[in-house]
Amino acid sequence: MLYAVLCYNDESVTSAWSKEEDDRVMRDLTAVQRKYVEAGKLGPVARLLPTTAATTLRHATGETIVIDGPFAETKEQLLGFYLIDCGSLDEALDFARELSSANPSSGSYEIRPLALFKPGELPS
């Protein structure tokens, strides 16, 4: 089963890291990822740019509005995500635990089963 592992953290904390701290975290995360890549289980990984680079399109009552920044007012922001092929939720949780151990700041990882839709292909 494919899972999305969504990575949330306080953007003000992670953006305050020095280049050396950020490089160390990315190196540690890459070490976690390596065994899943070698096992053929890890799909695309994305690190999102800061929310200051975001644009939100909101549609309500027949009107479409485009605003700068994210829409949600939260303490943690979505900073990136992984797609991973796991045999069970427990395996996906183990992956998230390893990511958490490699990350020096507090944050959270949301694990969600993923339904994959391919453009141009209709479900049967």
Side-chain angles (χ1 to χ4, degrees):
M1 162 138 271
L2 286 175
Y3 288 90
V5 178
L6 308 174
C7 310
Y8 294 90
N9 208 324
D10 182 340
E11 188 175 67
S12 66
V13 172
T14 58
S15 64
W17 290 341
S18 68
K19 179 174 178 357
E20 292 76 22
E21 288 172 308
D22 189 67
D23 289 348
R24 183 183 53 75
V25 170
M26 295 310 292
R27 184 185 62 243
D28 293 348
L29 290 171
T30 300
V32 171
Q33 297 165 17
R34 189 171 296 116
K35 77 176 184 180
Y36 292 91
V37 168
E38 290 170 358
K41 293 180 170 279
L42 189 60
V45 174
R47 185 178 191 184
L48 301 175
L49 292 178
T51 56
T52 55
T55 301
T56 299
L57 188 140
R58 182 175 171 84
H59 182 83
T61 61
E63 192 175 349
T64 301
I65 301 168
V66 176
I67 57 174
D68 290 335
F71 175 70
E73 296 290 332
T74 63
K75 291 181 181 180
E76 293 182 332
Q77 293 76 39
L78 176 63
L79 300 184
F81 61 89
Y82 297 84
L83 297 183
I84 187 162
D85 188 7
C86 295
S88 68
L89 175 59
D90 287 336
E91 185 180 359
L93 285 166
D94 288 342
F95 175 67
R97 283 186 189 98
E98 290 180 59
L99 292 174
S100 181
S101 295
N103 191 337
S105 63
S106 60
S108 58
Y109 295 86
E110 179 181 345
I111 295 90
R112 259 194 231 184
L114 185 68
L116 186 62
F117 295 95
K118 296 183 180 179
E121 293 182 21
L122 296 175
S124 51

